[in-house]
Amino acid sequence: MREVAVIGIGQTKVDEHWDKSIRILAGEAALEALKDAGREFADAIYVGNMLSGVSSHQQHLGSLLADWIGLRYSEAVKVESACGSGGAAFRSAVTAVASGVVESALAVGVEKMTDSPGPEVTAALATAADADYEAGQGLSFVAINALIMRRYIYEYGWKHSDFADFSINAHANGVHNPFARFQDPVSESDYQRAPMIADPINLLDASPMGDGAAAALVVPLETIHPNGATVIQVAGSGSATDTIAVHSRKDPLWLSAAEKSVRQAYQQAGVGPDDIDVFELHDAFSIMAALSLEACGFAERGQGPRLALDGQILPAGRVPIATRGGLKARGHPVGATGMYQIVEVVQQLRGEAGGTQVPDARIGMAQNIGGSGSNIVTHILVRVR
Amino acid sequence: MREVAVIGIGQTKVDEHWDKSIRILAGEAALEALKDAGREFADAIYVGNMLSGVSSHQQHLGSLLADWIGLRYSEAVKVESACGSGGAAFRSAVTAVASGVVESALAVGVEKMTDSPGPEVTAALATAADADYEAGQGLSFVAINALIMRRYIYEYGWKHSDFADFSINAHANGVHNPFARFQDPVSESDYQRAPMIADPINLLDASPMGDGAAAALVVPLETIHPNGATVIQVAGSGSATDTIAVHSRKDPLWLSAAEKSVRQAYQQAGVGPDDIDVFELHDAFSIMAALSLEACGFAERGQGPRLALDGQILPAGRVPIATRGGLKARGHPVGATGMYQIVEVVQQLRGEAGGTQVPDARIGMAQNIGGSGSNIVTHILVRVR
């Protein structure tokens, strides 16, 4: 396989974009990525999206987007893996270019959620879980995560307030990201006073939904002219599944799919946890940030919150996470999130992360989770010059 | 890239499977394909599906299926390209194995349509078209195809009855396929008396919806032991898009995406139309069969119906199509259809097509269309020993 690189990125603000249809949102990010790369064309388009059939009465997003941005003969498909759709689309783009099937591929994540009433969105998000044995029993997606967090607190002896720093860090970083949905800091007392959603998950443990799109252009590394610009190689890519229902797992507090997918990515890139300068993880709920840090080798089992309490997740810490706000503050337009993570890692490696730049970041990782840990895609990006 | 082959196939009957959920249907086909291959494992699963989020309140089919069939750590995603989802999933599987990303991949197409009331299915199918500029104006999917057929009849001077043989051939072949939804022949007079759906498309011009699943296991050609069994290589694969809305095309009577995708597949396989022994095309409506034959080089522009009138599409003809019933008689469970086509081509090349076996078929082609020609995937399979 050929080595591949990201040479263009684009994103829209995560927001309530009531004035923009799904094709317009996706088109803005895609065209921005092409412009950033100085290209006008891509051979293939992989669109990560979860909910368009329900929320926009539109499937077939691949063809829709190819047509809309003027690439009407390019190959194009939609890739769906619930909240992990963006990362899955990026992996498809990387595979297609690495294999030689195409010479360039746009990966685009897009989601439009805020046009629909809240209960409809809650029902739609539950389609990420097991429809017959979880959602069908009345378990919403946040409720599943609440059960995991409750068990985690019980097993490992944490207090709810020990999770506050995940939220505080994400919001503090979002202040510096003009594309973030929330750009205001939150305090320890804000966290403690936040309304409960599904005990023990409160409003500041949970990421907000939103409308948004993010995109990246992938090409073979060997075709990039040495013109002095920074080059970001996709050095590792891993993907794995776990049971779709949490109750089927031997250990509901361990992300086996994260462990397997990150092992593939580490191995391919020839690096380990100590080498990662920045880690955009899937903090849909603060408990997921803790579990992801553990499965990827940054903390012992049950000790994820310790990294937050010790300030190790801050931009100047040992493993900076959610550096552009994360799902918590940048927002979580579900099928788009995985592509926001890629865009943000590229910003860090290029040194374009502004007020939350990780000093001299050279190796970055992005991990996107579909469902409650049932589909996990991990990518490692490296600045090679 | 490595050469790849199909070593196992599986399918369910296309029917009203009210007693089987989507995971059960998909699982039956997938396990059958593994069993047929003598394997118990696949590194990756690509599920082609269009409507599960609406019809089964279930997204995340990749994880769902991997879990259900006991491959819970395998990579797994859903690939969506409207009615072309099955072919797109097969292409993803072929690319993943050819590139070396995985050593084996299951491609599975599945759709469950008959649990929902008719008007809901009609609305859901319209999400394959342009939601804002076609469906939003009241154009159902069959209405779009009716406008194309009307224009074709006007431009090229055909009569409606000239299309009868597409339907008659498909139903005659379906008689011999135990997996076909319809296993009864239809006559010329049945065709002429069939109720009108969207003038000029009548009931026997249109394929029936249904529930069903079909699957194939793809592995590197070099890993197959020379044990005497027939080996079916995937020799060519092409994919291209056109505008999503038919009214945006310079010529609404020409399938540009079919032309482009078949050219890629011919070139890669080193063959041309004269070499194709069997062609499973996308006869969702009889007009689409005609347009597909033209775009793939089997008939002059506007002359597709001539092949049917002259008996050239029969199993003993020059270009046998719909040899197992096609979309028209085997049925069209939309996201599964592309995988049924692959399974049926493999049956022909293995000599397992029973009463409609094409004599000594060695090279077969499958073409799957998403929307009204806006996303077209073509595969060429060759019996290599």
Side-chain angles (χ1 to χ4, degrees):
Chain A
M1 286 197 295
R2 301 188 288 191
E3 294 180 320
V4 304
V6 173
I7 60 162
I9 53 174
Q11 61 183 323
T12 72
K13 185 175 188 301
V14 179
D15 213 335
E16 297 186 7
H17 288 295
W18 295 352
D19 57 338
K20 290 179 183 173
S21 73
I22 197 162
R23 82 182 78 194
I24 293 176
L25 270 182
E28 283 185 6
L31 290 172
E32 185 64 32
L34 285 170
K35 188 177 158 199
D36 184 46
R39 303 271 184 119
E40 294 186 340
F41 191 78
D43 286 340
I45 305 176
Y46 299 90
V47 182
N49 171 268
M50 177 180 175
L51 301 172
S52 72
V54 174
S55 62
S56 299
H57 303 290
Q58 177 74 70
Q59 295 283 10
H60 217 175
L61 290 188
S63 289
L64 183 83
L65 182 60
D67 184 7
W68 179 249
I69 64 173
L71 304 184
R72 64 175 55 158
Y73 295 115
S74 296
E75 168 171 12
V77 293
K78 165 172 159 175
V79 179
E80 191 268 329
S81 193
C83 333
S85 300
F90 186 68
R91 182 164 159 89
S92 294
V94 167
T95 302
V97 177
S99 69
V101 166
V102 296
E103 290 300 310
S104 56
L106 260 176
V108 184
V110 64
E111 204 71 73
K112 200 153 165 50
M113 305 173 78
T114 71
D115 290 356
S116 312
E120 269 183 29
V121 177
T122 298
L125 290 175
T127 65
D130 190 311
D132 295 338
Y133 302 110
E134 290 182 322
Q137 310 304 318
L139 267 180
S140 69
F141 200 67
V142 60
I144 294 169
N145 283 274
L147 291 170
I148 297 173
M149 190 176 185
R150 165 72 65 207
R151 182 78 192 174
Y152 186 90
I153 286 173
Y154 170 80
E155 286 286 345
Y156 297 113
W158 297 101
K159 300 188 302 294
H160 176 256
S161 59
D162 292 331
F163 291 83
D165 288 309
F166 287 114
S167 188
I168 293 167
N169 170 61
H171 279 273
N173 294 340
V175 170
H176 301 276
N177 180 5
F179 299 100
R181 175 132 199 218
F182 295 132
Q183 299 173 21
D184 298 298
V186 302
S187 67
E188 179 98 26
S189 75
D190 290 335
Y191 182 80
Q192 297 198 356
R193 285 178 300 135
M196 196 55 72
I197 300 175
D199 194 1
I201 290 180
N202 74 21
L203 194 64
L204 288 178
D205 285 310
S207 56
M209 62 176 193
D211 308 328
L217 183 69
V218 177
V219 300
L221 185 63
E222 68 206 15
T223 65
I224 304 173
H225 299 297
N227 63 354
T230 304
V231 173
I232 310 298
Q233 184 184 351
V234 184
S237 176
S239 177
T241 57
D242 196 350
T243 67
I244 189 163
V246 175
H247 58 244
S248 301
R249 296 181 198 156
K250 250 184 241 170
D251 182 354
L253 302 182
W254 186 252
L255 295 178
S256 294
E259 184 187 13
K260 191 177 174 204
S261 85
V262 82
R263 197 192 304 140
Q264 292 170 10
Y266 282 151
Q267 199 169 350
Q268 198 181 336
V271 302
D274 291 346
D275 301 307
I276 303 300
D277 297 317
V278 54
F279 180 23
E280 290 303 331
L281 50 64
H282 193 93
D283 56 331
F285 302 100
S286 45
I287 179 66
M288 279 293 138
L291 296 182
S292 184
L293 285 166
E294 294 168 25
C296 296
F298 297 102
E300 293 296 308
R301 193 178 283 247
Q303 298 305 310
R306 176 56 51 204
L307 286 171
L309 288 167
D310 291 349
Q312 301 294 351
I313 63 170
L314 301 173
R318 182 164 76 82
V319 51
I321 67 172
T323 65
R324 308 291 284 150
L327 281 63
K328 179 66 201 81
R330 173 243 296 133
H332 183 26
V334 288
T337 288
M339 285 310 304
Y340 275 99
Q341 295 177 314
I342 297 293
V343 164
E344 291 161 357
V345 168
V346 170
Q347 287 184 318
Q348 285 285 1
L349 303 186
R350 283 179 175 178
E352 297 172 354
T356 55
Q357 177 66 48
V358 172
D360 196 34
R362 194 178 70 81
I363 303 181
M365 185 157 82
Q367 182 169 79
N368 191 199
I369 302 183
S372 309
S374 54
N375 198 309
I376 303 189
V377 178
T378 309
H379 283 98
I380 295 173
L381 280 66
V382 177
R383 171 162 49 81
V384 288
R385 65 169 185 252
Chain B
M1 283 197 298
R2 301 188 289 191
E3 295 181 319
V4 304
V6 173
I7 60 162
I9 52 174
Q11 60 184 323
T12 73
K13 185 177 190 301
V14 179
D15 212 334
E16 298 186 7
H17 289 293
W18 296 351
D19 57 337
K20 290 179 183 173
S21 73
I22 196 163
R23 82 181 80 193
I24 293 175
L25 272 181
E28 283 185 7
L31 291 172
E32 185 64 33
L34 284 171
K35 188 177 158 198
D36 184 45
R39 302 271 184 121
E40 294 186 341
F41 191 77
D43 286 340
I45 304 175
Y46 299 90
V47 182
N49 170 269
M50 177 181 175
L51 301 173
S52 72
V54 174
S55 62
S56 299
H57 304 290
Q58 179 74 69
Q59 295 284 8
H60 217 175
L61 290 189
S63 289
L64 183 82
L65 183 60
D67 184 8
W68 179 249
I69 63 175
L71 305 184
R72 64 174 56 156
Y73 297 115
S74 296
E75 168 171 12
V77 292
K78 166 172 160 175
V79 179
E80 191 270 328
S81 192
C83 332
S85 300
F90 187 68
R91 182 165 159 88
S92 294
V94 168
T95 302
V97 176
S99 69
V101 166
V102 296
E103 289 302 309
S104 57
L106 261 176
V108 183
V110 64
E111 204 73 73
K112 199 153 166 51
M113 305 173 78
T114 71
D115 290 354
S116 312
E120 269 183 29
V121 177
T122 299
L125 290 174
T127 64
D130 191 310
D132 296 337
Y133 302 110
E134 291 183 321
Q137 312 303 317
L139 266 179
S140 69
F141 200 68
V142 60
I144 294 170
N145 282 274
L147 290 169
I148 296 173
M149 188 176 188
R150 166 72 65 208
R151 182 78 193 177
Y152 186 91
I153 286 172
Y154 170 81
E155 286 286 345
Y156 297 114
W158 297 100
K159 301 190 300 296
H160 177 255
S161 58
D162 293 330
F163 291 83
D165 288 308
F166 287 114
S167 187
I168 293 166
N169 170 62
H171 279 273
N173 294 340
V175 169
H176 302 275
N177 181 5
F179 299 99
R181 174 129 199 222
F182 296 133
Q183 299 174 22
D184 298 297
V186 303
S187 68
E188 179 96 27
S189 76
D190 290 334
Y191 181 81
Q192 297 197 357
R193 286 179 299 135
M196 197 55 73
I197 301 175
D199 194 0
I201 291 180
N202 74 21
L203 194 64
L204 288 177
D205 286 310
S207 57
M209 62 175 193
D211 309 327
L217 184 68
V218 177
V219 300
L221 185 62
E222 69 204 16
T223 65
I224 304 173
H225 298 297
N227 63 354
T230 305
V231 173
I232 310 300
Q233 184 184 351
V234 184
S237 176
S239 177
T241 57
D242 197 350
T243 67
I244 189 162
V246 175
H247 59 242
S248 301
R249 295 178 200 159
K250 250 184 240 171
D251 182 354
L253 302 181
W254 186 251
L255 295 178
S256 294
E259 184 186 15
K260 191 176 173 204
S261 85
V262 83
R263 196 191 306 140
Q264 292 169 11
Y266 282 151
Q267 199 169 349
Q268 198 182 335
V271 302
D274 291 346
D275 301 306
I276 303 298
D277 298 317
V278 54
F279 180 22
E280 290 303 331
L281 50 64
H282 193 94
D283 57 329
F285 304 99
S286 45
I287 179 65
M288 278 294 138
L291 296 183
S292 184
L293 285 166
E294 295 168 23
C296 296
F298 297 101
E300 292 296 310
R301 193 178 284 248
Q303 297 307 308
R306 175 57 50 205
L307 287 171
L309 289 166
D310 291 351
Q312 301 294 352
I313 63 170
L314 301 173
R318 181 164 76 82
V319 51
I321 66 172
T323 66
R324 308 291 284 151
L327 281 63
K328 179 67 201 80
R330 173 243 296 134
H332 184 25
V334 288
T337 288
M339 284 310 305
Y340 275 99
Q341 296 176 315
I342 296 294
V343 164
E344 290 160 359
V345 168
V346 170
Q347 287 183 318
Q348 285 285 0
L349 303 187
R350 284 179 174 179
E352 298 173 353
T356 53
Q357 178 65 49
V358 172
D360 197 33
R362 196 179 67 83
I363 303 181
M365 185 158 81
Q367 183 167 80
N368 191 198
I369 303 184
S372 311
S374 53
N375 198 310
I376 303 188
V377 178
T378 310
H379 284 97
I380 294 174
L381 280 67
V382 178
R383 172 162 48 80
V384 288
R385 63 170 186 251

